[in-house]
Amino acid sequence: MSPPLAQRLPALATPLVNKFYDRVGARGRANKQDQLWVVRCDNEIVAAARVSRLEEQQFLCGVFVAASHRRQGLAGTLIRQVCTELNGPIYSFIYQHLSPLYEQLGFAAVATLPEHLASRLHSYRRQGRDVLPYCYKESADA
């Protein structure tokens, strides 16, 4: 069996990603303006991620792997593909327990955010989400 591959989907496939999110109980919904990536197994979506454009920033969110396919490296496969295809920086709010994974993939914690992202982070924290702001940049010299 070949290793799993992440593939970008066209906006037309947004309902398929939302159906996956509903099936696995993930928070959030994709919209047609989002960029979408998935991993499939036997033609079924088993992992998904999306990137939203928030003003001038790219925001990685909705990274989710079906419980039956966790601990197989699929989240890393998705995130690496997103970062390969997009020109950074790419912001994300990461649950604290997942920070080692994201750091291995080239993300770093950030102390300051653009105001609209800082406002969103504050809102997430008021909802009880234990998230930290991170950013991926292609290189330290960029």
Side-chain angles (χ1 to χ4, degrees):
M1 187 163 139
S2 59
L5 298 174
Q7 69 178 142
R8 187 167 173 188
L9 296 181
L12 186 63
T14 300
L16 296 175
V17 173
N18 285 330
K19 188 174 179 179
F20 166 75
Y21 285 149
D22 289 343
R23 180 171 49 89
V24 298
R27 268 188 175 162
R29 307 269 308 157
N31 65 55
K32 290 185 179 177
Q33 289 74 40
D34 290 339
Q35 298 174 54
L36 308 169
W37 283 263
V38 299
V39 173
R40 295 177 194 256
C41 181
D42 298 326
N43 209 28
E44 179 182 352
I45 296 173
V46 296
R50 65 186 199 273
V51 174
S52 298
R53 176 144 316 263
L54 302 176
E55 294 190 18
E56 295 300 313
Q57 284 75 39
Q58 298 176 105
F59 186 72
L60 173 66
C61 55
V63 178
F64 206 88
V65 178
S68 60
H69 288 80
R70 291 187 183 152
R71 302 206 177 274
Q72 298 176 27
L74 299 184
T77 296
L78 273 172
I79 295 165
R80 272 191 292 282
Q81 190 65 34
V82 168
C83 294
T84 296
E85 290 188 33
L86 298 180
N87 294 320
I90 304 166
Y91 289 90
S92 192
F93 299 154
I94 298 167
Y95 287 98
Q96 289 193 25
H97 70 280
L98 296 174
S99 60
L101 167 66
Y102 282 79
E103 289 169 2
Q104 287 178 339
L105 297 170
F107 282 78
V110 291
T112 58
L113 291 167
E115 179 56 38
H116 63 282
L117 289 178
S119 174
R120 183 175 285 228
L121 176 65
H122 182 67
S123 174
Y124 284 7
R125 287 180 171 165
R126 278 196 324 262
Q127 295 170 13
R129 299 186 199 185
D130 187 20
V131 293
L132 301 169
Y134 271 68
C135 187
Y136 174 85
K137 295 180 183 171
E138 289 181 284
S139 75
D141 300 325

